[in-house]
Amino acid sequence: MKRIATFILLSLILLLWSSCRKELDFETKSGGLAFSKDTVYLDTVFTNIGSSTYNLKVYNRSDDDISIPSVRLALGESSEYRLNVDGVAGKEFQNVEILANDSMYVFVETTIDINNLPNTNGEFLYTDEIEFGIGTNMQTVDLVTLVKDAHFIYPDRDNTTGVIETLTLNVGGEQVESDIQGRYLLPEELTFTNEKPYVVYGFAAVPNGETLTINAGTRVHFHADSGLLVSEGASLHINGELSNDEELLENEVILEGDRLEPSFSEVPGQWGTIWLFEGSVNNTINYTTIKNASVGILSDGNPDEANDKLTITNSQIYNSSNYGILGRNTSILAENLVINNTGLTSFAGTLGGKYNFTHCTITNYWSNSFRQFPALLLNNFQESSDGTLFLADLTEANFNNCIIYGNDNPEFLLDEVSDNDVSFNFKFTNSLLRFEDPTNSFNTANYNFNDTSKYEGNIFNDDPAFLNAQNNQMRIGEGSAAINLGDVTFAAQVPEDISGENRTTAPDAGAYQYIGE
């Protein structure tokens, strides 16, 4: 027993000696490090909005354990960057150890107030360096961030309770306190210009009787769960124009999330919706890109307006996590509209309504998750939580010279509840449609493709040959079944495609006219 105790004691002494020896063996050294990159680009951020966290990997490729005497930001405590080294946050670190042939991570992030920077002119390139070591062997890695100024629109917060302002809405003639965080726009905020971007927190609401005008070239960015709400008696006019550069879209109005890093550029569901509230009127959207929302546009009510509740032309809606456009007993006129990549349905006209789509590309090539619904859905009912069905007329739903397609099958669903008191009127004309029914599951009159009152001049299931549908490049290519499919009468109503190409003599179906490779 005594021998065992002595052995354990000696083992503990050896272990402690070896641990101390290992710490003492770290060689203090400047220089000789390798880095995963020589510059860390933190991409573009808006003033006072925190960046993502970026990482830098630091390698010790020698056979010796080393201790870096100093790792610090060159601008010291005044730097707008923040570091995290081995789980410790700060701006300067002493005696940072790396084992032989090992590595460590340095994490970098920033939040910058552009008002504290000189000569901004709307944006500023902010830089600093991470210094490794001291003296003549010191090594550096550059840090670079482009900071953009913006107009910020956000609800008030009670400094005592922390409660954020919410909207009061007119519902059925009554003022109702909602739980929607946001505020009504002030008179001086009712025109958005392209001078600098807009960043919206919560819902920016257009007051009754007012019009929000968004000029060509304007960029509007929404924080999570934020959006626009056009209230009763109010209007939204988005006045984008045709751009010369299809990548820059310099004249188009773009509405998207407020994360500017490239990794967020195509991420669905980053913000809420453009909500055309029941009673809003005369809403027009032209040359606009709406991307990465939960619902691109939510349009409620007013199906019988002499002027459609929403007229949307020459526009694109991409990467909506739920719906591209959700219409609920509403009226929409659409021309040269492209909708693609949505988690549920690209266009849903529900609880009836009135819809006229000409030269539109309504597709869904969603690949982020399993998709239960087709690219296009029409129905004439709404079901309450207790199972009660509310019915309404689908007065008309016309799709002329359109493409309705996707990576599932079928890609349109006509979900009618039959009732002699409500109508269900629709027609597809000179359109390229994806619909196959090998199990004869849709054996109803609505799917009688020989009925010329509902279907006329269409082509089914042939390849539209999109340039790259997964990446929302929806031009049609050589060999597309959409080429020359359009009817010249409808083309005369929309004589130019979404890119300004004339289509009157030999129109193709969809928003894009084929112009060659």
Side-chain angles (χ1 to χ4, degrees), residues 44 147 150 172 180 218 249 309 314 328 354 372 383 407 423 465 474 479 493:
T44 304
V147 190
I180 301 172
T218 301
L249 296 175
K309 181 185 182 76
N314 306 305
R328 298 189 294 205
K354 181 179 70 170
Q372 291 182 296
E383 186 174 359
N407 58 4
S423 60
M474 307 308 294
Q493 299 172 17

Side-chain angles (χ1 to χ4, degrees), residues 19-176:
S19 298
C20 293
R21 175 64 182 271
K22 186 174 184 180
E23 290 178 6
L24 294 172
D25 278 349
F26 278 91
E27 175 188 355
T28 301
K29 183 177 181 181
S30 294
L33 299 171
F35 306 100
S36 57
K37 57 194 82 172
D38 56 14
T39 301
V40 179
Y41 294 98
L42 281 79
D43 297 309
T44 304
V45 297
F46 284 119
T47 180
N48 290 315
I49 295 181
S51 71
S52 295
T53 300
Y54 294 78
N55 67 73
L56 169 72
K57 200 167 186 180
V58 184
Y59 299 92
N60 171 20
R61 302 202 187 280
S62 74
D63 295 328
D64 299 318
D65 302 338
I66 65 171
S67 175
I68 308 169
S70 173
V71 176
R72 66 185 299 272
L73 289 163
L75 296 176
E77 290 299 320
S78 65
S79 177
E80 301 287 354
Y81 292 104
R82 303 181 295 275
L83 303 180
N84 187 296
V85 178
D86 278 348
V88 179
K91 298 190 177 185
E92 183 170 359
F93 308 85
Q94 306 296 326
N95 302 318
V96 179
E97 299 171 347
I98 311 180
L99 296 173
N101 297 301
D102 204 351
S103 62
M104 71 171 185
Y105 279 103
V106 175
F107 296 97
V108 190
E109 59 186 19
T110 188
T111 305
I112 302 172
D113 185 347
I114 199 169
N115 295 312
N116 295 333
L117 304 175
N119 303 317
T120 60
N121 293 320
E123 61 182 41
F124 187 86
L125 194 66
Y126 187 79
T127 62
D128 198 353
E129 293 179 330
I130 308 177
E131 297 177 345
F132 295 85
I134 55 177
T136 57
N137 291 324
M138 181 178 66
Q139 296 173 270
T140 61
V141 172
D142 292 326
L143 304 176
V144 178
T145 306
L146 180 64
V147 190
K148 280 183 173 290
D149 196 7
H151 298 285
F152 287 86
I153 297 172
Y154 49 86
D156 288 335
R157 179 193 295 268
D158 189 296
N159 292 329
T160 303
T161 64
V163 174
I164 298 175
E165 180 182 5
T166 57
L167 291 171
T168 300
L169 303 173
N170 188 324
V171 180
E174 296 184 9
Q175 296 296 309
V176 177

